[in-house]
Amino acid sequence: MSSRLATLAIALAAAGNALGQQSESTTIDAQKIEGVSDLEVSARGAAEIHRGEVTVFGDFLRYNREFGELEGTGGVRLQSGVDRFFGPRLEYNTLEDTGTFDPPGFLLQRERPARGGGERMEFLGPGHYRFFNARFTTCQPGQDDWFLEASVLELDYNADEGKASHPRLRFFDHTMLAFPYATFPLENGRRSGLLTTYYSQTSTRGLEFGIPYYWNIAPERDATFTPVWMARRGFQLKSDFRYLNAPYAGELRYEYLPHDPVFGAARTGLSWQHTQTFRPGLTANVDYNKVSDDSYFVDLASQVKQVSVGNLPQDAYVTKSGALPGAGSYMAQVRVQKFQTLQDPLAPIVPPYHRVPQLTAAATYNDLAGLFDTNVPAEYVRFVHPVLVEGARTSFNPVLSMPRIAPAWFVTPKTGLHYAGYQLDQSIPGAPTAPSVTMPWASLDSGLLFERPTTFGGRSLTQTLEPRLFYVYAPYHNQDQIPIFDTALADFNYPQLFNENRFVGGDRFGDANQATLALTSRFLQADGQELLRGTLGQRFYFRGEQVALMPGSTLRTARESDLLASVGGRLQQRLSFDATTEYNPYDHRVERYSIGMRYAPEVAKLFNASYRFQHELLRQVDISGQWPVAAGWYAVGRYNYSFFDHRLLEGLAGAEYNAGCWVFRFVVQRLAAASTVTSTALVFQLEFTGVGQIDTAEAVQLLRRDVPGYSVINRVDPVMAPPNARSRLPFEQVF
């Protein structure tokens, strides 16, 4: 009988018997087959046995169908799903997916392909293997840059966990790490255990060394504890606790330094962000940040949230919102807001007022009687300050508008009332303790939209012409007796041209009799994406202003505002730019301008450049980028320099290398941490794909923060990886 006929007969017999005993058939192919198909079969010469997802090749194979036992010798190869194993001798149970291989090599083509070998291995079930005196790596065949060596290595892809006894991580034949025991995720899973150590060198902390421990508390909670030793500062404990649930989520970070020998005392940092949904329409938020001293961020690397330079928010509020009868809605909020102000002795700032408490409410109706939109906001807030005048403010700002909108035009008349009343705890002698102001106002916003087809560079485009007229009238009311709690003069920019009030905050409403004229033109592609945009705008005053921010402040006397102009767009999918300017027609000079562009032709290929100028105040250049410079090598950097201060605000230079199974990053950063303090940091990261990393914990975060648009070069998702780092297929092995 020929081997082809023998193979067919055995397959049919196995399939027939499977109707009563087993759910999977077994096929055997070889140059010579001997035995009884229902009991035990021996196959010699290019033998192959296939059952389910398991296929075994070898010079000699013996298969006992009754017990599912399979033996192989002479160049045995086993394929189980996407996993492949090879060696001289195999014992395997096809019914239980258990057995042994002596000595094995393996190739695991999972989400993270891996390979290696050992003296002996055990099959412990589908996707579960144990190796003795093993070597494990995610490098391509022929690239033996790093290996994880272990006396016992267990890979459980069902639990997504690897376990190693007496592991040593060897990098180019040098031992980088050694532990008595280690666990690690196999496919980006979360597991409790020690993370790899990190290292940095900075001018403020010296040599820094930490060993993070990750605690996977539950699927919706985890924590990381990092004992840190700093050569100049001593021992510190950093902790990060995260939680997530359907009604709430948050993160709590705490840092504790028992004694800083340079500072001379203990130092702490705390940050807590929390969001809570009690029920639909009822939410709560907490953003609390606190550090032990003013120079905490200057001296220590910190995870504590620093929202603005000098001020840490300590904020909590509860918000209720819902629908009103008809087409209305409402919102009510209770808030307590404080700040911790960190002072630089050479550049002190005035701390902001605390709001304890702030009560706000608003009711909105749209399409009222088919004609009107209305919004009625109200607020009560008590302002507290350690040295300035304290008091409470009650404000009421109803607005009524009648928008009329058509495809080619819009007109929106609007009227409103600004009321603010105060109860002051103390004031200047002779000044009122309960001042108030009531200011009516009215505005008219209108615009037209013209379109025409055109072409540019062979592309069909639509050009628009959009003139806009905005008029505001507000009578004069003396407000010199009103204190300043949270108000400042608004920045003069394009959106501010269409605002009724030239102040931001609730303590001032400026008198006005003025009109704004603006003209915008756009070039739109067929999909509606903006190719090019140009805008020109100016405000015209029909009388001089009388309401000042503070008594004695300089008032405007000019009949025209500065001229604002901007141009920007995306000439190509990879190139975008934006330029704005403010021109003073009376002094015939440019008051300020900014120019910025971004060129990003592909992932991990990026160049940003901008220049900002403000007369007698600012001249600053900011250049950053990420660019491939050789096979696997990328340069990253940032240069942010103030010509006005003759000072480097931030400089960063570094390199990255992606070897496929490991990545190296090296960055030097120089940062102006305070008015006279400059911090220099040396950062490196060595990441072994599929095992872990030796790094400063903020290595990638630093690059993402300092280089806008930065891309991680070793993304698992091939779509997000740089083109030269994308593998066409998992690495292959032909049996």
Side-chain angles (χ1 to χ4, degrees):
M1 179 183 293
S2 67
S3 62
R4 181 179 298 275
L5 293 177
T7 301
L8 178 62
I10 295 172
L12 290 175
N17 199 22
L19 294 175
Q21 299 180 14
Q22 301 180 25
S23 60
E24 293 181 331
S25 63
T26 302
T27 61
I28 303 175
D29 193 3
Q31 295 177 356
K32 184 178 181 180
I33 300 176
E34 299 176 339
V36 180
S37 61
D38 286 341
L39 298 177
E40 185 173 283
V41 175
S42 297
R44 298 179 184 272
E48 175 184 342
I49 296 180
H50 176 78
R51 183 178 187 276
E53 291 189 348
V54 176
T55 302
V56 181
F57 308 85
D59 293 337
F60 173 77
L61 300 178
R62 178 183 291 115
Y63 176 61
N64 185 304
R65 187 174 183 280
E66 181 180 2
F67 299 104
E69 295 177 349
L70 189 153
E71 297 180 6
T73 57
V76 183
R77 292 155 295 175
L78 183 148
Q79 179 175 338
S80 177
V82 296
D83 300 335
R84 301 180 181 183
F85 308 88
F86 40 94
R89 178 173 175 78
L90 168 71
E91 293 182 0
Y92 189 77
N93 188 302
T94 60
L95 303 180
E96 300 176 354
D97 290 306
T98 59
T100 61
F101 223 139
D102 300 307
F106 61 88
L107 183 67
L108 311 176
Q109 299 193 103
R110 303 274 179 156
E111 179 181 345
R112 286 181 170 177
R115 64 182 179 89
E119 291 184 359
R120 183 172 177 270
M121 76 164 290
E122 296 177 351
F123 295 91
L124 304 178
H128 192 181
Y129 317 114
R130 180 183 293 134
F131 303 88
F132 298 89
N133 293 327
R135 286 163 59 87
F136 173 90
T137 185
T138 59
C139 293
Q140 296 275 353
Q143 180 189 0
D144 296 340
D145 294 353
W146 70 265
F147 272 95
L148 178 68
E149 297 180 345
S151 59
V152 179
L153 175 66
E154 186 172 332
L155 306 178
D156 187 351
Y157 282 94
N158 302 307
D160 191 22
E161 183 179 46
K163 301 178 182 179
S165 298
H166 304 288
R168 291 191 304 168
L169 186 61
R170 295 183 62 82
F171 185 52
F172 287 104
D173 291 329
H174 291 83
T175 299
M176 303 294 293
L177 293 172
F179 291 100
Y181 180 78
T183 63
F184 54 93
L186 296 174
E187 308 265 64
N188 282 328
R190 294 163 43 189
R191 288 291 178 271
S192 299
L194 289 175
L195 305 180
T196 51
T197 58
Y198 79 81
Y199 158 87
S200 70
Q201 177 75 38
T202 66
S203 58
T204 56
R205 305 186 303 276
L207 173 65
E208 182 175 343
F209 179 80
I211 304 178
Y213 177 80
Y214 177 77
W215 182 16
N216 184 32
I217 304 172
E220 67 280 357
R221 293 187 299 276
D222 63 10
T224 303
F225 303 94
T226 309
V228 178
W229 177 80
M230 297 172 284
R232 296 191 60 194
R233 305 288 177 173
F235 286 96
Q236 181 187 38
L237 178 64
K238 296 182 179 182
S239 60
D240 184 0
F241 172 62
R242 302 183 301 177
Y243 53 93
L244 175 66
N245 211 320
Y248 60 84
E251 185 170 10
L252 176 64
R253 295 168 176 167
Y254 181 69
E255 303 170 352
Y256 178 62
L257 181 62
H259 178 71
D260 184 342
V262 179
F263 184 74
R267 310 182 78 172
T268 59
L270 174 66
S271 178
W272 181 34
Q273 284 79 47
H274 178 85
T275 60
Q276 177 98 32
T277 300
F278 298 104
R279 61 176 182 269
L282 182 60
T283 62
N285 294 76
V286 177
D287 185 4
Y288 184 85
N289 303 270
K290 184 177 178 60
V291 294
S292 57
D293 55 88
D294 290 342
S295 58
Y296 191 87
F297 293 105
V298 177
D299 296 340
L300 302 172
S302 176
Q303 302 179 95
V304 174
K305 179 182 177 184
Q306 187 175 18
V307 175
S308 60
V309 176
N311 291 307
L312 293 179
Q314 300 172 350
D315 195 4
Y317 53 93
V318 177
T319 305
K320 179 73 171 70
S321 61
L324 293 173
S329 62
Y330 72 92
M331 184 278 298
Q333 185 180 92
V334 179
R335 184 176 196 173
V336 175
Q337 184 182 46
K338 295 184 176 182
F339 298 92
Q340 181 187 7
T341 301
L342 309 181
Q343 296 287 6
D344 182 349
L346 300 180
I349 60 176
V350 178
Y353 275 92
H354 302 317
R355 294 178 172 93
V356 285
Q358 180 185 28
L359 311 176
T360 57
T364 301
Y365 271 95
N366 294 322
D367 203 25
L368 191 64
L371 295 173
F372 303 102
D373 292 343
T374 182
N375 183 35
V376 185
E379 178 190 59
Y380 171 84
V381 55
R382 177 166 181 78
F383 295 97
V384 176
H385 199 280
V387 295
L388 300 179
V389 174
E390 298 181 346
R393 182 185 71 204
T394 302
S395 60
F396 184 60
N397 297 277
V399 177
L400 180 68
S401 63
M402 188 174 65
R404 290 293 174 266
I405 303 174
W409 58 270
F410 72 90
V411 176
T412 305
K414 185 185 297 184
T415 185
L417 180 73
H418 169 75
Y419 168 80
Y422 296 80
Q423 292 293 330
L424 305 180
D425 295 345
Q426 54 182 330
S427 61
I428 300 173
T433 58
S436 65
V437 61
T438 302
M439 287 229 5
W441 57 269
S443 70
L444 178 69
D445 194 3
S446 61
L448 298 172
L449 174 61
F450 301 96
E451 293 183 354
R452 68 165 188 170
T454 186
T455 59
F456 178 80
R459 287 182 286 183
S460 297
L461 304 173
T462 299
Q463 183 185 7
T464 70
L465 191 64
E466 306 167 37
R468 184 176 179 183
L469 170 64
F470 180 73
Y471 175 77
V472 179
Y473 178 80
Y476 167 70
H477 285 260
N478 191 313
Q479 300 170 49
D480 290 345
Q481 302 298 326
I482 302 296
I484 297 295
F485 288 141
D486 62 356
T487 302
L489 187 66
D491 181 50
F492 184 69
N493 51 39
Y494 188 77
Q496 180 60 24
L497 288 176
F498 305 95
N499 200 316
E500 288 85 5
N501 190 8
R502 63 177 176 271
F503 300 101
V504 290
D507 301 315
R508 290 288 186 274
F509 201 101
D511 59 312
N513 186 7
Q514 62 199 33
T516 295
L517 286 176
L519 183 66
T520 299
S521 183
R522 311 172 199 269
F523 289 87
L524 305 176
Q525 302 180 77
D527 60 359
Q529 184 174 346
E530 190 175 83
L531 180 70
L532 188 64
R533 176 200 69 253
T535 299
L536 192 66
Q538 190 173 21
R539 181 182 287 166
F540 299 89
Y541 305 99
F542 303 116
R543 73 179 184 204
E545 65 185 25
Q546 296 174 273
V547 177
L549 180 65
M550 301 288 291
S553 297
T554 302
L555 296 173
R556 173 197 49 79
T557 58
R559 307 295 292 183
E560 301 172 356
S561 73
D562 291 347
L563 186 67
L564 295 178
S566 70
V567 61
R570 186 183 293 272
L571 297 180
Q572 302 177 12
Q573 189 65 30
R574 62 189 67 181
L575 176 64
S576 61
F577 75 99
D578 189 75
T580 61
T581 185
E582 177 184 341
Y583 178 74
N584 186 330
Y586 292 94
D587 296 330
H588 304 288
R589 73 182 182 211
V590 174
E591 292 292 339
R592 59 180 174 177
Y593 65 87
S594 65
I595 303 172
M597 61 84 66
R598 170 175 290 187
Y599 179 65
E602 62 186 40
V603 178
K605 186 180 284 189
L606 168 78
F607 178 75
N608 304 306
S610 66
Y611 181 79
R612 296 192 300 157
F613 168 86
Q614 189 167 354
H615 181 65
E616 295 183 346
L617 185 63
L618 178 69
R619 286 188 299 126
Q620 184 176 321
V621 64
D622 193 352
I623 300 172
S624 62
Q626 177 186 20
W627 205 266
V629 293
W633 283 96
Y634 297 80
V636 290
R638 183 180 184 185
Y639 180 77
N640 187 4
Y641 185 82
S642 172
F643 295 100
F644 188 82
D645 300 315
H646 304 287
R647 186 183 187 192
L648 180 67
L649 302 179
E650 184 169 13
L652 182 146
E656 302 178 284
Y657 179 67
N658 185 359
C661 58
W662 59 275
V663 174
F664 175 72
R665 297 181 178 94
F666 175 83
V667 178
V668 178
Q669 182 198 38
R670 188 170 178 84
L671 177 67
S675 58
T676 59
V677 178
T678 300
S679 173
T680 302
L682 175 66
V683 179
F684 84 86
Q685 174 172 303
L686 181 59
E687 182 175 345
F688 300 96
T689 303
V691 175
Q693 59 190 27
I694 305 173
D695 72 327
T696 55
E698 299 179 355
V700 173
Q701 290 85 343
L702 172 65
L703 293 173
R704 283 176 170 164
R705 183 176 64 246
D706 285 8
V707 182
Y710 167 81
S711 298
V712 178
I713 62 175
N714 58 324
R715 292 285 186 95
V716 175
D717 184 354
V719 176
M720 300 301 295
N724 63 356
R726 298 173 189 170
S727 300
R728 295 183 180 179
L729 294 170
F731 44 74
E732 303 173 359
Q733 175 106 6
V734 179
F735 292 146

